[in-house]
Amino acid sequence: MALYSEKVMDYFMNPRNVGVIEDADGVGEVGNAKCGDIMKIYLKIKDDIIDDAKFETFGCGSAIASSSMATEMIKGKPLAHALQLTNKAVAEALEGLPAHKMHCSVLAEEAIKIAVKDYYDKNRIAYDPNQFPDLDHEEH
Amino acid sequence: MALYSEKVMDYFMNPRNVGVIEDADGVGEVGNAKCGDIMKIYLKIKDDIIDDAKFETFGCGSAIASSSMATEMIKGKPLAHALQLTNKAVAEALEGLPAHKMHCSVLAEEAIKIAVKDYYDKNRIAYDPNQFPDLDHEEH
Amino acid sequence: MKVYADNAATTRMSRVAIDAMLPFMDTFYGNPSSLHSVGQEAAEALQKAREIMAQHLGCEAREITFTSGGSEADNQAILSAAVLGEKKGKKHIISTKIEHHAVLHTLDKLSKQGFEITLLDVHENGIVTPQQVASAIREETCLVTIMYANNEIGTIQPIAEIGAICKEKGVLFHTDAVQAAPHLPINVNEQNIDMLSLAAHKFHGPKGVGMLYSRKGILLTKIIEGGSQERGNRPGTENIPGIISMAAAFEDACTHMDENSAKVSALRDKLIEELSKVPHSILNGDLEHRLPGNVNFCFEGIEGEALLLQLDRKGICASSGSACASGSLDPSHVLLAIGRPHEIAHGSLRLSLCESNTEEEIDYLLKVVTEEVEYLRNMSPVWRDLVSGKKQFML
Amino acid sequence: MKVYADNAATTRMSRVAIDAMLPFMDTFYGNPSSLHSVGQEAAEALQKAREIMAQHLGCEAREITFTSGGSEADNQAILSAAVLGEKKGKKHIISTKIEHHAVLHTLDKLSKQGFEITLLDVHENGIVTPQQVASAIREETCLVTIMYANNEIGTIQPIAEIGAICKEKGVLFHTDAVQAAPHLPINVNEQNIDMLSLAAHKFHGPKGVGMLYSRKGILLTKIIEGGSQERGNRPGTENIPGIISMAAAFEDACTHMDENSAKVSALRDKLIEELSKVPHSILNGDLEHRLPGNVNFCFEGIEGEALLLQLDRKGICASSGSACASGSLDPSHVLLAIGRPHEIAHGSLRLSLCESNTEEEIDYLLKVVTEEVEYLRNMSPVWRDLVSGKKQFML
Ligand SMILES: Cc1ncc(COP(=O)(O)O)c(C=O)c1O
Ligand SMILES: Cc1ncc(COP(=O)(O)O)c(C=O)c1O
């Protein structure tokens, strides 16, 4: 019973999609340094499809793995799909996270949603605000 | 730091003067089986000298060693000498007893004194009763 | 000849237990709380040890808390039940007069804190009946704690039946299985056990390691404060080599329980049969409901410590009453509880066997014990009085 | 390359410690409470171990109580002082904000029982001054408990001076020397220490064994009830192999204290000098009053756990904050107490060395730590904001 599953270690050690998209269509940043985790997701969107996704993360192993896995799960998928991504799905794709690290998958879910919202806002696309997390809350 | 000194073990393992003197001139018995120790000392006395001394003991290793050592310390000695034998002297001759076993040396001292008193009583020799332990007390 | 017949006091570590331990001293020496691989290797081994223990107790791994020994496990079980009881205003605890001091002294402490303690009497064979327990349980009872098998006289209690009564009445049931495990079968669910204590050094495992099983849902009270080891129930860096070794020894003993038990019981029965022939002696404990390795006799007219020292001189390691009580001048509370008078209780001998004892050793034991009892009787003024008719034999 | 740099979490058992232990597993395996020779051999070895510990602490053998570890020793010391204090109506205890959880959580428990606890602040280097202690002592103070050296940042406290103040004011002084011993000299009389805790696994001894020194005359409170082992202060069959092994490891370390300390300090100083060159990093703890083996840095813009995992992948075992706090998401209470903001405290790395670490290992450590800090900074949005000027550097 190692702390992390092999999948988590793989996505931490060999993170997919790490980096910045300079001309991103949507950017989402959640978390704060005081709590020890910040995630930033960059999206490149073409015809309602996520053409590219990248992340930057300040945080623990499972935070890095969660953001890496989350970007992989939405790349090439329609925006609607990205909006349906749950933290549970991220954690399951990682073959589980320790209970006290589940919040990392929540951050990944939120960062993606905020990035989509950013894209909608920038492009003045109408949406239901209730489907997005509240940026101002401080607890993670 | 074994429980008992080598001397105690020697006097327990190879007890000197164990046995009965059938025609003893004085016999002293102290202790009680409820407390786990009974000592009986037999004295043969000639011209105020302890010609022979033997013991029987129901009790632990240090009780047996104490009675054996005590009989040895008084054999061939004047009665006055036997009356001056202290439990401390017995314990010292045994190179020490554990604190919770010191009462065994007290029993040995008392048994000898009671045996001398028995001799005085049988032979109607006057003595100061205060120099003898009180037979009736139950604590040891 | 050297004969170790004091396995109820402690046992020699087995090869299995030592071999299991060694790699965790200088190869897998990590702290399981450390995130790095050396630490996580230790964490994995710890979890595996927990699973092994759980498997043989019929419980879940997370229901196991490793402790520093049997005493700590007993203390924690009882204190936890007391804290839970107190919250509900239930401050009555039931136990027996023949428990180990780790239990009795914990109950003394609770009694000073306002708990009411009922110590059940036992019958002459050392057994407490389920009916006694049933009648003692009240509305305010929060715990029944009764040992599986007694360390001095080897009596096995009807714990499954007692457990069933407790379950029915909604009272927690703890059993001190330090002497029972792994000589007797244990399945905490079938036997209705809520909490159970073990100590590794009683089954060829290491000293300084024990275990508390506690059914899930029972909130444990910490007796040591600190880090969050053992799900927060037992702070302090885990004794990994000790725990691994305990699990190996336990598994080994459980696997061989039937054959060991058959072998040891046969040796025991021979000892009991032959020693019963010593005049004015008596077996302590029950003949049938008895630990495979336990033999305990009282011999009239002699004192136990002297007998022990004589036996030791002939290479035999035995005990009189319980080893832990040494330093005390009172005879064993267990022998008094089964009705032995003080005079007789002082003259007790416990021989506790294990599967490495041999037939030849038993023959030697019989010869030497018989001789030494006679030798000491011959220098005992009590024996003289009995033989001469000045006093009456009690046995 | 494999580098174990987490010796403050636990150490690899030394050959000396293992060799001392082995014979007590299957040759001298007796229970010291047993009267027979196998038991008495164990009792003699136990006494010898006690004398060895006493000799190197400058105390008497009977002032030593063996426990299951450092946490238990800390708990027992503090509870004993509290019980003694309460009897005299003195219910105030002084400690610091950077103690181990074994101390802090015991104090929390006492605080719930009506004790008033003063946790002194420490300076940015982690030091508490004797003057702070002197001004905090009141009429009702029954105990000052301050660690000899801190487990996270390695800061050494002026315990002899603090002890002198306590002695003058008639207040008991306990020090948790779990990290200090046997790397720093200890003499309980010269340093005016009334109680002191040790744990064997921190100095290449076994896990599951510790020790409490308590000056004669101080009545200890049992935290485990049971038999009369350890002069009645610590019931439970003694962990003889563990205790013997602890004494051997302690003696070995005390004998080589000067050379080990010189060697380890040199390695430490090189690490500190070189890591200080990493931009936007800071050393935690005092440069001078520092454990020979402790190095602790904060690196801005990254998180400690991720760094640990990266280092582990390269064969380096290190720690971030204290191992025992793992499972918690809060940054180390010690780093917060020395004034590191949360953001910075999250990015800490502790490397703790011992005498078997080598120059080559240090070079490897330096190379890998520098690389991995840079790697993680490059994927950190915080670092990007700092570098781009969107946020201001704190370090
Ligand atoms: C300063 C300090 N005190 C107490 C302890 C507790 O010791 P143990 O885990 O051996 O109980 C530790 C180590 O974990 C420590 O570093
Ligand atoms: C029945 C029983 N309970 C508890 C204990 C205590 O175990 P330990 O000495 O390992 O703490 C013992 C053994 O001494 C025992 O025989």
Side-chain angles (χ1 to χ4, degrees), chain A residues 47-60:
Chain A
D47 304 329
D48 255 23
I49 302 282
I50 297 176
D51 199 44
D52 198 7
K54 289 207 179 297
F55 78 92
E56 287 185 313
T57 291
F58 160 90
C60 63

Side-chain angles (χ1 to χ4, degrees), chain C residues 3-14:
Chain C
V3 185
Y4 187 76
D6 199 14
N7 289 282
T10 197
T11 57
R12 176 187 205 138
M13 273 183 81
S14 65

